[in-house]
Amino acid sequence: MVDLPSAVQAHVVACCLATRAPAWLLVHQDGRFQAGQGALERYGLAGLQSACEIESQVPCLQGLWPFTGTPCYLPALEILTGTFADIHLFAEHTDVWVLFLDATAQVVQQRRLQQKANEMRWLQDHYWVTIGQRLGHADLQSPVHALREALTTLALLTQTLEALDMVVFERMPDGALQLTSTAPAWFINVCPEAATPRDGLQPGSVFPVLGPFLQEAEAFWARQGTGRYTSLPWSLGDAMAQEYSLEASALCCGKHQLLCLVPVPRPRCPGVSAS
Amino acid sequence: MIQKKICMVGAFAVGKTSLVSRFVDSIFSDKYHTTVGVKIAKKVLEIGTEAWHLLLWDLAGEDEFLQVRTSYLCGSSGYILVVDGTRRATLDMALDIQQRIVDAVGPVPFIILFNKADLTQEWDITQEACAGLAQKGWTWLKASAKTGEGVEEAFEALVAQMQER
């Protein structure tokens, strides 16, 4: 026994008796029940028959007999519906003590924490899988790293489009075209409302001359055409009388249908070209 | 009377409790309730002319904070390693648990059960992984606690292994 003053020992025992509702069974090492006492009813252990096999009377002790002699600890077993017990088995000579201590309060508290932790972990796992699928990573180990890579690629793509003076629209399921790139200076010059992009900005309205090409582009998108379908160049001026020669291209990138507008130095022939 | 103890082990949220509920009470709930410690259920399985009284120990799932306590496996006649077929990592965890069980209680009959077989679109277990299990001579099966598909067959397969011992 730890060297504790008798008053401390008595207090520890009193606390255990008050909060853990101990009950004990004495079982012969061959598995025959001998005696029991304590809060037996709490664990559904009242009325056990002496000299009969314990495992047929107490199912949670199934398979432990003959007892090997090695102490065994079985925490948080749900003995009866809503009642949990910590079970300790330890040998003394040819007998085995089976001690039941109520663990219901601890289990209820642990369940709250464990439920929350497991739900969060489960969500995180699914979140990683979803991000991995979106980014084309079958086995995503680090979503933060993958996201950083994807954002770097996106920034590079944005800078490339800006350097090419290219404007990109994506065709939405309802047929509307939505500006997805930043608007270069020439586009804002000919279409000042592009400086504050909004969903209603439609190339067909800004450039009425594009009408017939957009009809052909619809057919190209509908058949998931490969390469790109390019318009004849057309010219227009801005408010500062600067002249632009422009070209439109329709293309399909996976499930995305895109319209690109770009200034060109000289007229080109319309038609499909390899991308 | 033949009375045997069977343990359900695996990672958290793979569906151990749902499989037991489906097998014992023929019910299923989509709501996730974590298991703390162990819940014990009973089921009588008729095998030929014999009635097998199964005590099903549904153990708390393993997570990064809590390992499966192998002392729960003491006295068990078999166990089912449950894997979530939509979460590949739970297979790795199951294999790790299996090794720890062997170290603690020795060779005991077991099967690997891939749960959530109804979620075919989200399936995350490769044929190669299953072939690797078969090469080890291990029995693996698919089941769905949600639909009931393969659940009873899984317990019967484990009991068949237990009969052979």
Side-chain angles (χ1 to χ4, degrees), chain B residues 25-58:
Chain B
D25 301 315
S26 301
I27 56 172
F28 175 79
S29 168
D30 261 325
K31 190 157 188 199
Y32 170 62
H33 292 289
T34 188
T35 301
V36 176
V38 181
K39 293 178 76 168
I40 302 174
K42 297 176 187 175
K43 169 83 174 181
V44 179
L45 197 59
E46 302 290 340
I47 305 284
T49 58
E50 294 177 324
W52 286 60
H53 294 252
L54 304 180
L55 290 169
L56 307 173
W57 282 45
D58 175 19

Coordinates of all heavy atoms in Angstrom, one line a residue, chain B residues 25-58:
Chain B
D25 N -30.8 -6.6 -35.2 CA -32.1 -6.1 -35.2 C -32.7 -5.7 -36.5 O -33.8 -5.2 -36.6 CB -32.1 -4.8 -34.3 CG -31.6 -5.1 -32.9 OD1 -32.1 -6.1 -32.3 OD2 -30.8 -4.4 -32.4
S26 N -32.0 -5.9 -37.6 CA -32.4 -5.6 -39.0 C -32.8 -4.1 -39.1 O -33.8 -3.8 -39.8 CB -33.6 -6.5 -39.4 OG -33.2 -7.8 -39.4
I27 N -32.0 -3.3 -38.4 CA -32.3 -1.8 -38.6 C -31.0 -1.1 -39.0 O -29.9 -1.6 -38.8 CB -32.8 -1.2 -37.2 CG1 -31.9 -1.5 -36.1 CG2 -34.2 -1.8 -36.9 CD1 -32.2 -0.7 -34.8
F28 N -31.3 0.1 -39.5 CA -30.1 0.9 -40.0 C -30.5 2.4 -39.8 O -31.6 2.8 -40.0 CB -29.8 0.7 -41.4 CG -28.7 1.6 -42.0 CD1 -27.4 1.4 -41.7 CD2 -29.0 2.7 -42.7 CE1 -26.4 2.2 -42.1 CE2 -28.0 3.6 -43.1 CZ -26.7 3.3 -42.9
S29 N -29.5 3.1 -39.3 CA -29.7 4.6 -39.1 C -28.5 5.3 -39.8 O -27.4 4.9 -39.6 CB -29.8 5.0 -37.7 OG -29.7 6.4 -37.5
D30 N -28.8 6.3 -40.6 CA -27.8 7.1 -41.2 C -27.0 8.0 -40.2 O -25.9 8.4 -40.5 CB -28.4 8.1 -42.3 CG -28.3 7.5 -43.7 OD1 -27.3 6.8 -43.9 OD2 -29.2 7.7 -44.5
K31 N -27.5 8.2 -39.1 CA -26.9 9.1 -38.1 C -25.7 8.4 -37.4 O -25.8 7.2 -37.1 CB -27.9 9.5 -37.1 CG -27.4 10.6 -36.2 CD -28.5 11.4 -35.6 CE -27.9 12.7 -34.9 NZ -28.7 13.3 -33.9
Y32 N -24.6 9.1 -37.3 CA -23.4 8.5 -36.8 C -23.4 8.7 -35.2 O -23.5 9.9 -34.8 CB -22.2 9.2 -37.4 CG -20.9 8.8 -36.7 CD1 -20.4 7.5 -36.6 CD2 -20.1 9.8 -36.1 CE1 -19.2 7.2 -35.9 CE2 -18.9 9.5 -35.4 CZ -18.5 8.2 -35.3 OH -17.3 7.9 -34.7
H33 N -23.3 7.6 -34.5 CA -23.1 7.7 -33.0 C -21.8 7.0 -32.7 O -21.7 5.8 -32.9 CB -24.3 7.0 -32.3 CG -25.6 7.7 -32.5 ND1 -25.9 8.9 -31.9 CD2 -26.7 7.4 -33.2 CE1 -27.1 9.3 -32.2 NE2 -27.6 8.4 -33.0
T34 N -20.9 7.7 -32.1 CA -19.6 7.1 -31.8 C -19.8 6.1 -30.6 O -20.7 6.2 -29.8 CB -18.6 8.1 -31.3 OG1 -17.3 7.5 -31.2 CG2 -19.0 8.8 -30.0
T35 N -19.0 5.0 -30.6 CA -19.1 4.0 -29.6 C -17.9 4.3 -28.6 O -16.8 4.4 -29.1 CB -18.9 2.6 -30.2 OG1 -20.0 2.4 -31.1 CG2 -19.0 1.5 -29.1
V36 N -18.2 4.3 -27.3 CA -17.2 4.4 -26.3 C -17.1 3.1 -25.6 O -18.1 2.5 -25.2 CB -17.5 5.6 -25.3 CG1 -16.4 5.6 -24.2 CG2 -17.5 6.9 -26.0
G37 N -15.9 2.6 -25.4 CA -15.7 1.3 -24.8 C -16.3 0.2 -25.6 O -15.9 0.0 -26.8
V38 N -17.2 -0.6 -25.1 CA -17.7 -1.8 -25.8 C -19.2 -1.9 -25.5 O -19.7 -1.7 -24.4 CB -17.1 -3.1 -25.2 CG1 -17.6 -4.3 -26.0 CG2 -15.6 -3.0 -25.4
K39 N -19.9 -2.2 -26.6 CA -21.3 -2.6 -26.4 C -21.5 -4.0 -26.8 O -20.8 -4.5 -27.8 CB -22.2 -1.8 -27.4 CG -22.3 -0.3 -27.1 CD -23.1 0.5 -28.0 CE -24.6 0.2 -27.8 NZ -25.4 1.2 -28.6
I40 N -22.2 -4.8 -26.0 CA -22.4 -6.2 -26.3 C -23.8 -6.5 -26.8 O -24.7 -6.1 -26.1 CB -22.0 -7.0 -25.0 CG1 -20.6 -6.7 -24.6 CG2 -22.2 -8.5 -25.3 CD1 -20.2 -7.3 -23.2
A41 N -23.9 -7.2 -27.9 CA -25.2 -7.7 -28.4 C -25.2 -9.2 -28.5 O -24.1 -9.8 -28.6 CB -25.5 -7.0 -29.7
K42 N -26.4 -9.7 -28.6 CA -26.5 -11.2 -28.7 C -27.2 -11.5 -30.0 O -28.2 -10.8 -30.4 CB -27.2 -11.8 -27.5 CG -26.5 -11.6 -26.2 CD -27.3 -12.2 -25.1 CE -26.7 -11.8 -23.7 NZ -27.5 -12.2 -22.6
K43 N -26.9 -12.6 -30.6 CA -27.6 -13.1 -31.8 C -27.4 -14.6 -31.9 O -26.3 -15.1 -31.7 CB -27.0 -12.4 -33.1 CG -27.5 -13.0 -34.4 CD -28.8 -12.4 -34.8 CE -29.2 -12.9 -36.2 NZ -30.5 -12.3 -36.7
V44 N -28.5 -15.3 -32.2 CA -28.4 -16.7 -32.4 C -28.4 -17.0 -33.9 O -29.3 -16.5 -34.6 CB -29.6 -17.5 -31.7 CG1 -29.5 -19.0 -32.0 CG2 -29.7 -17.2 -30.2
L45 N -27.4 -17.7 -34.3 CA -27.3 -18.0 -35.7 C -27.4 -19.5 -35.9 O -26.7 -20.3 -35.2 CB -25.9 -17.6 -36.2 CG -25.6 -17.4 -37.7 CD1 -26.6 -16.4 -38.3 CD2 -24.2 -17.0 -38.0
E46 N -28.3 -19.9 -36.8 CA -28.5 -21.3 -37.0 C -27.6 -21.8 -38.1 O -27.6 -21.3 -39.2 CB -30.0 -21.6 -37.5 CG -31.1 -21.1 -36.5 CD -31.1 -22.0 -35.3 OE1 -30.6 -23.1 -35.3 OE2 -31.7 -21.5 -34.2
I47 N -26.7 -22.7 -37.7 CA -25.7 -23.2 -38.7 C -26.0 -24.7 -38.8 O -25.7 -25.5 -37.9 CB -24.3 -23.0 -38.3 CG1 -24.0 -21.5 -38.0 CG2 -23.3 -23.6 -39.3 CD1 -23.8 -20.7 -39.2
G48 N -26.6 -25.1 -39.9 CA -27.0 -26.5 -40.0 C -28.0 -26.9 -38.9 O -29.1 -26.2 -38.8
T49 N -27.7 -27.8 -38.1 CA -28.7 -28.2 -37.0 C -28.3 -27.6 -35.7 O -28.9 -27.8 -34.7 CB -28.7 -29.7 -36.8 OG1 -27.4 -30.2 -36.6 CG2 -29.2 -30.4 -38.1
E50 N -27.2 -26.8 -35.7 CA -26.7 -26.2 -34.5 C -27.1 -24.7 -34.3 O -27.1 -24.0 -35.3 CB -25.2 -26.3 -34.4 CG -24.6 -27.7 -34.4 CD -23.1 -27.7 -34.4 OE1 -22.5 -26.9 -35.1 OE2 -22.5 -28.6 -33.7
A51 N -27.4 -24.4 -33.1 CA -27.7 -22.9 -32.8 C -26.4 -22.3 -32.2 O -26.0 -22.8 -31.1 CB -28.8 -22.8 -31.9
W52 N -25.8 -21.3 -32.8 CA -24.7 -20.7 -32.3 C -25.1 -19.4 -31.6 O -25.7 -18.5 -32.3 CB -23.7 -20.3 -33.4 CG -22.9 -21.5 -33.9 CD1 -23.5 -22.7 -34.5 CD2 -21.5 -21.7 -33.9 NE1 -22.5 -23.6 -34.8 CE2 -21.3 -23.0 -34.5 CE3 -20.4 -21.0 -33.5 CZ2 -20.0 -23.5 -34.6 CZ3 -19.2 -21.5 -33.6 CH2 -18.9 -22.7 -34.2
H53 N -24.9 -19.3 -30.3 CA -25.2 -18.1 -29.6 C -24.0 -17.2 -29.6 O -23.0 -17.4 -29.0 CB -25.6 -18.5 -28.1 CG -26.8 -19.3 -28.0 ND1 -28.0 -18.8 -27.5 CD2 -27.1 -20.5 -28.4 CE1 -28.9 -19.7 -27.6 NE2 -28.4 -20.8 -28.1
L54 N -24.1 -16.1 -30.4 CA -23.0 -15.2 -30.6 C -23.1 -14.0 -29.7 O -24.2 -13.4 -29.6 CB -22.9 -14.8 -32.1 CG -22.9 -15.9 -33.1 CD1 -22.9 -15.2 -34.5 CD2 -21.7 -16.8 -32.9
L55 N -22.0 -13.7 -29.0 CA -21.9 -12.5 -28.2 C -21.1 -11.5 -29.0 O -19.9 -11.8 -29.3 CB -21.2 -12.8 -26.9 CG -22.0 -13.6 -25.9 CD1 -21.1 -14.0 -24.7 CD2 -23.2 -12.8 -25.3
L56 N -21.7 -10.5 -29.5 CA -21.0 -9.6 -30.4 C -20.5 -8.4 -29.6 O -21.2 -7.6 -29.1 CB -22.0 -9.1 -31.5 CG -22.7 -10.2 -32.3 CD1 -23.7 -9.7 -33.2 CD2 -21.6 -11.1 -33.1
W57 N -19.2 -8.3 -29.5 CA -18.5 -7.2 -28.8 C -18.2 -6.1 -29.9 O -17.3 -6.3 -30.7 CB -17.2 -7.7 -28.2 CG -17.4 -8.4 -26.9 CD1 -18.4 -9.4 -26.7 CD2 -16.7 -8.2 -25.7 NE1 -18.3 -9.8 -25.4 CE2 -17.3 -9.1 -24.7 CE3 -15.7 -7.4 -25.3 CZ2 -16.8 -9.2 -23.4 CZ3 -15.2 -7.5 -23.9 CH2 -15.8 -8.4 -23.1
D58 N -18.9 -5.0 -29.8 CA -18.8 -3.9 -30.7 C -17.8 -2.9 -30.0 O -18.2 -2.2 -29.2 CB -20.2 -3.3 -31.0 CG -20.1 -2.0 -31.8 OD1 -19.1 -1.8 -32.5 OD2 -21.1 -1.3 -31.8

